[in-house]
Amino acid sequence: MLPARPASGADGGGVPNARSPEPGSAPPAVAARSLLGTAWLRIRRSKIALAALAVVVLMILFAALAPVLTAIEGQDPYTTRTSPDVLDDYGTPGLPLSYYRYPSFDHWLGVEPGLGRDIFARMAHGAQVSLVIALLATVVSVVLGTVLGAAAGYFGGKVDMVISRVMDLFLAFPHLLLVLSLTPILQSRLGDTALGEGSLLPIASLVIILGFFGWAYLARVVRGQVLSIREQEFVEAARAYGASHRSIILKQIVPNVMGVVLVYATMMIPTNITAEAALSFLGVGVKDPTPSWGQMLNAAQAGNWYLTDPWFLAVPAGALVITVLAFNLLGDAVRDALDPKSSRG
Amino acid sequence: MNRRTVAALALTVATGLTLTACGGPKPAPGSGSRAPADAFEPVKVGDGDATRGGNVNVLMSADFQTLDPGNSNYVQTANVGQLYYRTLTMAKEEAGKPPTIVPDLATDLGKVSKDGLTWTYTLKKGLKFEDGSPITSKDVKYGVERTYARDVYTQAPQELNAALSDDGYKGPYAKGAAADFKGIETPDDRTIVFRLKQPFAEFPALASRSNTAPVPRAEDTKLDYTNHPVSTGPYRIKSYDRGRAMKLVRNEHWDPATDPNRSALPDTFTFSLSTAQSTISQQLLADADPTALTLDSAGGLQASDAAKLDDPAVARRTASGLIGCTDVLDLNTESIKDPQVRKAIALAIDRKAIHLQYGGARFGKLTQSYINPDQRGYVQQHTALDPAGQPKLAEAKKLLKGRDVPKKLVYGYADATPRYKNMGTSLQQNLKQLGIDLELRSIPAANYYTTLAGKNMPDIARSGWCGGADSGSVRTTIDPNLGPSVDGKTFGFSNIPRYHDPEIARAMYALRGENGTSEELGRKWSTLFDRAMQDYPLVPLIRNVTRSVVGSDVRNAQVGYFFGAIDLSTVSVASGSDSGKG
Amino acid sequence: MIAFLTRRLVATVVLLAVISFVTFTLFHFGPADPAAAACGQECTPERIAEARVALGMDKPFLSQYLTYMSGLFHGRTVGAPGAESLCQWPCFGKSFQTNEDVAAVLERALPYTLSVAVGAIVLWTVVGVTFGTLAALRRNKLTDKLIVGAASVGVSLPIPVTGLLLLLVFVSTLDVLPFTTNAITSPFGPAGFDGWFLNYLLPWVALAVLFSAQYIRVTRSSMLETLGEDFMRTARAKGLSKAAMVVRHGARAGLTPVVTMLGLDIGLLLGGAVLTEQIFSVPGVGFTAVRAAQAGDLPLTMAITLLAAFFIIVANVVVDAVYAVIDPRVRAA
């Protein structure tokens, strides 16, 4: 019943969801075989898209190699240094020489005020945590959204009605508020299970929460796509030949919605990175000592440290903005590539 | 538990001087503050100024939990309460020292019977409520009765009630036999007699708790009483817009002749409620409002503000002093059973790093004991901890040789405060040196102490104590925190380590029933405490210091030992600053 | 039309009822024990038991839900037997922290949220539509590329980053703007329009950076589509100037998606801009929600969730209705 659009951005009750692409720009079905190929051909032509792709790939590599890089640096994200030669009487690193505050040979990005931990090591390991959460949450949303949306569209009738009403419900909830109050609840529920071990707990709970709240919009779009595909001739023909549901879904429907799914998935990733940052920033997501970019923002704001030590804020903020920007530009490029109509021509 | 209960102080010579200094030259702003010889010496701002009038603007980051004296267990509300309600006795603050108990509504500190089981108070003459009607002993008794209705007033202070006889009483709203209170008698309109279960040398301090603030039965609006408690003090509530602002104006039925404890110099007090804490600290540091001050803990200052306190212009406006609150690390003696292992953990802790998380020497002093020499009954305490807070790793490792050392422990912290989390991060590093893996577990701040008292108590946790019902006496720190358990299985709410030693427990039980002065009984408590502490159920960390920056026109500002903030009963503003806001 | 609206309204009421039930269930079976939260710091088992009775938690789940819902419509009494106090309509219960009517807490928070929302919405709509149109008109020129580029950066700036950066630069370093105060809730108060404006300027900018970028994108692409349509070509052929064309024809057709988006965003923002309010310490609905969540103040959290859902749903219905007026085909859907 609702012409709902996902929460448009990072505030106002509802963070986690993919941004909507411009109106009327839902990509048409593209055959799966050529999907990635087509996309790549088009992306290759745009310098911006190539740069964005490069940054994304580099950032993923950076996160994957975090332990190696910090080993080369000779540091780790957890060791505290509170001796007077590192932190002065105010808890700020290395005044008056500020050796420890800013990049140096020993500490590539300086150390934290208060605890004296290595900022580079935390940033690199934080990249791992932030990206893993965003990617896994996206996978959860995409799987849920595609399966439920396709089921609703394909089977229609009661199945469609039930799934559609559930989608309405999810879209009407103020996501951020709910996530804010539900995450601690989920964390204490998971606390007794295998997922409740140490740093796994906040990661697992964020993946579940963000993934679970992010599927509805994609499902709606997939449902629309499937509705139109179902009526097309090649599907009718397959049905006439007596093909099973299973075979029609796998061979006809799924390949044809892959385009739309791919577009939304690329757009969901930066949204989920932002959502993780927002929740950890508010203190309900990833918690110290586990680093993530949101947790680092939280630490910078705690005690107003960022006012006296802006560098402490700059590192996670910079990493976050660059990554989100790269994913967004890549998302735009993928959308444009799969939907010539919306291209910037 | 971080609850700091009320206690009091003797009328000092300084207060007398304040009153006579009216005609003298006005001190220049901040002339009262002086550079202290010792970093922890109390500093007052504008001491001795006797200007009457003006408005004090109190900035607070949150609304009052309650203004109802019968439902108030918070230092902040007790501090504000001094302005609009009076109690039988009063905890009078003097910066840097535990408050002295002085008579308030009563003529003296109470007359005790030989057996120590009856305390009798007489009300002063001419006491009135804000509507001019007289205050009688019945109103005081009714005030105490209300605090027995714990199902209604969940924050009602219970120290006084626990000492009185008649445990079956359920408060004035209950029906039947449970509604007839036998713990207090009022033979006439000015006499109140308390009947105790056991002798309690610190009873005058209990009588200073907000329980004894008179409440007229006819005006009791139960939970809504918080919106307009009937005043008995120098000010009354003119308006209270919850969550935004409160204004206090003079109560013309308050007679200064009956009240030597409150200078009541300003004409009005305004309270700006729920101003953001960062806004408060910035406004105060910048002197945006010369009549402003705050009641927020730690003066509303953020960790990063510490450097600004050294600016001479700010230092001149900063009142400071050690307060009664001490933070410790509790070691769960049920999960870490071996005292030698606990001692090793205590020695391995880098207390200096923890000190830094509190903001260093500006906000706290490393302490070797939960009790301090300013308290009555203190005797020398012994500990192997390094006074400078450095870890003694070698010694700790030696202690652990051949012992059953836990592989993994859990540290629980209240999630709203970054400092407690940082403390855990530091501990994690220390315990790693002993081969112990420490997991940090956040606990919702609202349920923190309940969790510590329950079955989910982690192995290590921080807690704080501000001296208890009589912060001037060691007893009200020792008894609640390491007090005796009957069977070694059930513990008082505040015995977070669940410490139990049968011999010490027996001795403490005996001590509870003993009759004597607070001083001599206190020494016995201290000796037992020192013995218990050799088993390291807890590790003393930090005596808190409050630094509170005030506006440039604020005078007579001192940090209360018990309130942990500017004492509102003495504060005033210099002339010419009539910025009273509607 | 009337039938359409009736249908929508009925569906809305059903949806709200379902949401209230789901929310109540979620919180009810959460691990945060409301009784423990309500009874404060020194909470012995006996006190928890007393608090359970006072909160009505000793009753079966369904009856608790029904009691709660009935309070929304005609008030009820809350508290321990013998000392009940009246919770006025609409009763969302009493806050665990201050024992105040939750409705009163929300009533106090709303003006702040409204102040943040109004300015931010005006700012981002003006910026978004202006630059979006400009980009469409200058398609593929440098102006267009700059605007589109800026929008790409804008949508990639998370609120915590923008917010802290604004505070660091304009409040702490340059000292040209004040830290927000809670004394100002409207432009008509004693602080005047100027005071209100300066107090909320930074929160507006923080939100507007993110949202304008999205509005620029939507306006641009929808304008491009409209400009390419037949009636626009006809208009141009008739010799209308480009500006007149955009204003007279383009604006109406091209801005329809913007209006839709705006309606939904208003609905979202009224539920509280959680991050913005938190960073700038504006004690609005979002700020209150964070504090309530931290303090385990269930009645408050629950009420805010319901309120925010209500705004979102109402905004959807309004947008539906507006759409139906503009485009009659929708009604049949």
Side-chain angles (χ1 to χ4, degrees):
Chain A
M1 66 163 266
L2 303 168
R5 186 178 58 92
S8 57
D11 213 341
V15 166
N17 245 328
R19 279 172 306 112
S20 61
E22 276 87 289
S25 67
V30 180
R33 258 167 272 113
S34 63
L35 192 72
L36 287 172
T38 321
W40 170 238
L41 275 175
R42 286 171 187 276
I43 286 172
R44 225 172 51 175
R45 279 190 227 135
S46 156
K47 276 183 210 142
I48 295 179
L50 274 182
L53 184 63
V55 172
V56 165
V57 170
L58 281 178
M59 200 45 97
I60 291 174
L61 272 179
F62 176 72
L65 295 177
V68 180
L69 292 171
T70 40
I72 297 173
E73 190 203 16
Q75 304 295 345
D76 70 90
Y78 303 111
T79 302
T80 57
R81 293 169 199 80
T82 51
S83 56
D85 59 317
V86 180
L87 296 186
D88 62 16
D89 202 18
Y90 303 121
T92 1
L95 286 171
L97 290 175
S98 295
Y99 175 72
Y100 287 97
R101 179 180 256 184
Y102 299 114
S104 70
F105 186 74
D106 292 330
H107 299 281
W108 294 353
L109 294 177
V111 304
E112 289 180 322
L115 287 167
R117 294 179 297 196
D118 185 80
I119 294 181
F120 174 79
R122 293 190 69 72
M123 199 269 268
H125 282 84
Q128 225 171 34
V129 175
S130 293
L131 290 182
V132 162
I133 289 175
L135 292 174
L136 288 183
T138 305
V139 169
V140 172
S141 293
V142 165
V143 169
L144 278 175
T146 313
V147 169
L148 290 174
Y154 183 78
F155 294 108
K158 280 201 178 121
V159 177
D160 184 22
M161 204 197 75
V162 171
I163 295 179
S164 292
R165 291 295 86 79
V166 175
M167 286 193 297
D168 287 346
L169 191 67
F170 268 83
L171 290 169
F173 262 117
H175 293 141
L176 184 54
L177 284 177
L178 212 59
V179 169
L180 194 68
S181 36
L182 285 186
T183 310
I185 294 181
L186 182 68
Q187 290 188 355
S188 76
R189 279 280 183 267
L190 286 178
D192 301 329
T193 69
L195 288 173
E197 276 296 308
S199 58
L200 253 185
L201 170 66
I203 297 176
S205 60
L206 281 186
V207 167
I208 294 173
I209 291 250
L210 294 180
F212 196 60
F213 278 103
W215 64 273
Y217 192 72
L218 176 65
R220 172 173 297 240
V221 176
V222 169
R223 172 180 170 273
Q225 288 271 317
V226 172
L227 272 181
S228 69
I229 295 168
R230 198 174 63 167
E231 308 307 325
Q232 281 175 20
E233 285 167 16
F234 61 95
V235 179
E236 305 247 309
R239 203 174 287 144
Y241 278 114
S244 66
H245 282 317
R246 188 190 144 89
S247 126
I248 293 177
I249 289 177
L250 283 182
K251 292 202 180 130
Q252 315 288 346
I253 307 282
V254 169
N256 280 295
V257 296
M258 279 321 281
V260 82
V261 170
L262 186 65
V263 169
Y264 277 86
T266 6
M267 295 183 141
M268 229 183 256
I269 295 171
T271 317
N272 280 335
I273 296 177
T274 315
E276 180 279 324
L279 288 174
S280 303
F281 175 76
L282 290 173
V284 293
V286 175
K287 284 180 181 150
D288 213 334
T290 308
S292 83
W293 293 340
Q295 182 279 324
M296 292 178 78
L297 286 178
N298 174 294
Q301 194 224 17
N304 280 350
W305 278 119
Y306 73 102
L307 294 179
T308 48
D309 197 351
W311 179 250
F312 190 30
L313 169 67
V315 173
L320 189 62
V321 171
I322 289 171
T323 312
V324 172
L325 179 61
F327 269 108
N328 274 337
L329 290 175
L330 186 65
D332 289 348
V334 170
R335 187 199 58 220
D336 291 351
L338 298 179
D339 177 19
K341 194 175 123 221
S342 81
S343 78
R344 304 201 178 133
Chain B
M1 175 131 15
N2 223 340
R3 150 192 78 92
R4 309 134 164 193
T5 21
V6 184
L9 146 143
L11 191 53
T12 59
V13 186
T15 328
L17 285 176
T18 311
L19 295 170
T20 54
C22 295
K26 289 201 179 74
S31 69
S33 68
R34 60 210 139 72
D38 165 359
F40 301 109
E41 274 286 297
V43 176
K44 298 183 185 179
V45 172
D47 198 15
D49 186 295
T51 316
R52 259 180 84 90
N55 174 63
V56 172
N57 187 20
V58 183
L59 308 172
M60 301 194 21
S61 62
D63 194 358
F64 305 107
Q65 304 265 18
T66 173
L67 290 177
D68 183 343
N71 198 17
S72 162
N73 213 0
Y74 308 95
V75 272
Q76 217 168 48
T77 46
N79 194 350
V80 181
Q82 298 182 99
L83 301 176
Y84 68 86
Y85 65 76
R86 297 174 66 182
T87 39
L88 282 181
T89 61
M90 175 188 182
K92 184 88 181 110
E93 290 276 21
E94 174 62 30
K97 281 183 255 169
T100 315
I101 308 294
V102 294
D104 191 359
L105 290 172
T107 52
D108 55 24
L109 291 178
K111 292 182 185 63
V112 62
S113 63
K114 264 232 174 68
D115 57 5
L117 292 177
T118 314
W119 284 80
T120 307
Y121 290 87
T122 309
L123 293 180
K124 286 172 184 163
K125 282 185 187 148
L127 299 170
K128 286 180 183 127
F129 285 111
E130 68 175 82
D131 61 358
S133 59
I135 299 171
T136 70
S137 54
K138 310 267 185 309
D139 301 315
V140 176
K141 183 184 180 196
Y142 187 69
V144 179
E145 285 179 349
R146 290 173 85 238
T147 62
Y148 276 81
R150 289 177 315 181
D151 49 346
V152 183
Y153 308 113
T154 54
Q155 299 300 321
Q158 295 297 314
E159 291 86 353
L160 174 69
N161 305 7
L164 297 181
S165 58
D166 198 356
D167 277 339
Y169 183 58
K170 291 280 181 227
Y173 317 124
K175 291 174 184 71
D180 182 22
F181 186 40
K182 300 183 192 69
I184 294 180
E185 281 157 34
T186 51
D188 61 60
D189 274 359
R190 286 183 54 216
T191 310
I192 305 142
V193 184
F194 292 89
R195 303 220 171 273
L196 277 62
K197 286 193 281 245
Q198 284 178 314
F200 204 102
E202 290 81 7
F203 191 81
L206 300 185
S208 77
R209 300 297 329 262
S210 60
N211 310 47
T212 68
V215 174
R217 187 185 284 263
E219 309 276 332
D220 181 10
T221 49
K222 295 170 188 158
L223 279 174
D224 293 330
Y225 191 68
T226 178
N227 295 322
H228 193 119
V230 181
S231 169
T232 51
Y235 301 91
R236 63 184 169 83
I237 295 166
K238 185 173 177 229
S239 60
Y240 177 27
D241 180 7
R242 285 193 81 160
R244 290 226 178 97
M246 177 168 82
K247 178 155 191 161
L248 298 183
V249 295
R250 286 196 185 279
N251 167 16
E252 55 268 39
H253 291 285
W254 170 75
D255 181 2
T258 66
D259 192 349
N261 304 320
R262 296 165 176 87
S263 59
L265 290 172
D267 283 337
T268 52
F269 280 86
T270 50
F271 293 81
S272 309
L273 310 172
S274 56
T275 305
Q277 205 162 57
S278 52
T279 310
I280 292 178
S281 62
Q282 299 307 313
Q283 285 188 344
L284 290 170
L285 287 166
D287 198 17
D289 174 357
T291 66
L293 56 87
T294 184
L295 295 189
D296 273 27
S297 62
L301 295 172
Q302 314 283 313
S304 60
D305 293 329
K308 294 180 195 143
L309 291 176
D310 286 352
D311 175 355
V314 174
R316 239 196 336 260
R317 296 188 284 114
T318 308
S320 68
L322 276 167
I323 62 171
C325 299
T326 301
D327 282 17
V328 299
L329 271 184
D330 299 284
L331 305 177
N332 187 343
T333 62
E334 285 182 337
S335 63
I336 318 174
K337 286 198 166 69
D338 185 344
Q340 293 304 307
V341 174
R342 293 199 298 267
K343 184 175 180 183
I345 290 173
L347 290 177
I349 294 172
D350 185 349
R351 294 192 305 146
K352 204 166 178 315
I354 290 172
H355 192 197
L356 199 64
Q357 305 315 316
Y358 279 74
R362 281 166 197 78
F363 298 105
K365 180 184 183 181
L366 270 172
T367 180
Q368 299 289 90
S369 174
Y370 218 161
I371 53 179
N372 68 67
D374 287 330
Q375 290 173 312
R376 252 174 289 123
Y378 177 85
V379 301
Q380 182 64 41
Q381 303 284 302
H382 303 82
T383 177
L385 298 169
D386 176 49
Q390 298 289 359
K392 293 182 172 177
L393 260 182
E395 204 175 315
K397 282 181 182 159
K398 206 159 36 168
L399 278 172
L400 287 184
K401 264 199 196 107
R403 305 239 164 220
D404 189 12
V405 185
K407 287 266 169 312
K408 192 179 156 234
L409 293 175
V410 174
Y411 166 78
Y413 65 94
D415 59 5
T417 318
R419 156 208 300 174
Y420 302 146
K421 175 208 69 196
N422 286 354
M423 202 189 241
T425 310
S426 179
L427 282 174
Q428 204 172 37
Q429 297 295 309
N430 300 148
L431 294 193
K432 209 197 238 167
Q433 308 283 325
L434 299 182
I436 300 172
D437 186 20
L438 187 70
E439 183 194 320
L440 310 192
R441 186 176 294 163
S442 74
I443 298 172
N447 297 343
Y448 184 66
Y449 282 111
T450 314
T451 308
L452 263 48
K455 63 180 192 319
N456 289 326
M457 161 71 185
D459 304 303
I460 304 176
R462 179 216 62 95
S463 68
W465 187 256
C466 299
D470 183 357
S471 50
S473 161
V474 292
R475 184 207 163 151
T476 51
T477 293
I478 298 169
D479 193 350
N481 284 286
L482 288 187
S485 160
V486 199
D487 48 5
K489 290 192 187 79
T490 51
F491 297 92
F493 187 84
S494 301
N495 188 343
I496 297 168
R498 290 119 163 99
Y499 177 73
H500 180 69
D501 174 290
E503 208 181 306
I504 294 177
R506 260 196 305 280
M508 283 188 176
Y509 262 117
L511 206 46
R512 275 187 183 172
E514 224 173 282
N515 195 1
T517 69
S518 176
E519 175 73 37
E520 64 192 39
L521 294 174
R523 277 198 296 274
K524 294 183 186 174
W525 281 104
S526 294
T527 311
L528 285 174
F529 187 68
D530 194 33
R531 265 176 65 192
M533 283 300 290
Q534 302 317 307
D535 290 339
Y536 291 85
L538 49 88
V539 187
L541 297 174
I542 309 289
R543 242 329 261 291
N544 287 275
V545 172
T546 293
R547 273 165 212 277
S548 198
V549 181
V550 299
S552 54
D553 285 343
V554 173
R555 299 289 182 272
N556 295 304
Q558 66 164 351
V559 169
Y561 173 98
F562 166 70
F563 296 131
I566 302 290
D567 174 14
L568 291 186
S569 74
T570 63
V571 79
S572 68
V573 286
S575 55
S577 56
D578 191 19
S579 68
K581 291 171 195 155
Chain C
M1 185 71 200
I2 290 178
F4 164 79
L5 281 181
T6 320
R7 232 170 34 232
R8 281 284 185 276
L9 280 176
V10 170
T12 306
V13 171
V14 171
L15 191 57
L16 273 172
V18 173
I19 283 187
S20 72
F21 186 76
V22 171
T23 319
F24 195 86
T25 314
L26 281 174
F27 288 134
H28 185 84
F29 294 105
D33 184 354
C39 97
Q41 294 185 338
E42 266 183 52
C43 213
T44 56
E46 302 85 66
R47 283 193 139 185
I48 293 192
E50 286 165 355
R52 289 185 72 84
V53 176
L55 291 172
M57 285 176 58
D58 49 340
K59 310 229 166 57
F61 170 69
L62 208 59
S63 102
Q64 286 185 46
Y65 172 70
L66 292 176
T67 313
Y68 182 87
M69 289 311 285
S70 75
L72 290 185
F73 297 103
H74 49 68
R76 61 189 164 107
T77 55
V78 293
E84 295 93 346
S85 62
L86 182 68
C87 174
Q88 304 254 326
W89 173 91
C91 174
F92 291 95
K94 299 222 171 196
S95 159
F96 287 168
Q97 299 165 87
T98 57
N99 222 330
E100 206 180 348
D101 277 8
V102 165
V105 177
L106 292 180
E107 201 184 312
R108 186 163 66 237
L110 268 173
Y112 295 104
T113 293
L114 220 57
S115 289
V116 170
V118 167
I121 288 166
V122 170
L123 188 61
W124 87 53
T125 312
V126 170
V127 172
V129 170
T130 312
F131 284 92
T133 312
L134 196 64
L137 290 177
R138 297 263 185 281
R139 189 178 192 190
N140 286 338
K141 302 230 171 75
L142 184 64
T143 323
D144 180 29
K145 287 188 171 147
L146 285 179
I147 293 174
V148 168
S152 292
V153 175
V155 289
S156 309
L157 287 173
I159 296 265
V161 172
T162 336
L164 294 181
L165 211 62
L166 288 172
L167 280 174
L168 174 64
V169 174
F170 292 101
V171 179
S172 180
T173 312
L174 299 179
D175 199 17
V176 288
L177 284 169
F179 267 98
T180 44
T181 153
N182 77 336
I184 303 171
T185 51
S186 93
F188 314 111
F193 183 83
D194 292 1
W196 179 73
F197 184 85
L198 290 178
N199 194 48
Y200 289 102
L201 184 58
L202 287 184
W204 295 342
V205 172
L207 279 168
V209 165
L210 184 72
F211 281 77
S212 319
Q214 294 172 32
Y215 278 65
I216 287 177
R217 291 172 153 219
V218 172
T219 310
R220 179 181 176 275
S221 66
S222 137
M223 275 295 189
L224 281 181
E225 221 169 287
T226 318
L227 288 174
E229 278 180 22
D230 288 346
F231 69 94
M232 293 299 279
R233 289 202 199 98
T234 321
R236 186 179 287 188
K238 281 200 299 198
L240 273 176
S241 77
K242 214 170 184 184
M245 233 169 58
V246 169
V247 172
R248 262 191 234 166
H249 302 283
R252 238 183 85 196
L255 291 185
T256 315
V258 176
V259 172
T260 312
M261 193 161 145
L262 193 60
L264 300 178
D265 280 337
I266 292 174
L268 264 180
L269 216 54
L270 288 180
V274 177
L275 288 161
T276 312
E277 290 179 11
Q278 186 67 19
I279 290 163
F280 294 99
S281 309
V282 177
V285 178
F287 183 88
T288 311
V290 174
R291 282 210 176 175
Q294 280 170 354
D297 197 336
L298 283 183
L300 197 48
T301 313
M302 167 97 191
I304 293 176
T305 310
L306 283 183
L307 184 78
F310 174 77
F311 282 135
I312 293 175
I313 293 171
V314 168
N316 272 294
V317 173
V318 171
V319 166
D320 268 11
V322 171
Y323 239 79
V325 170
I326 299 174
D327 186 353
R329 283 172 303 173
V330 174
R331 276 175 244 167

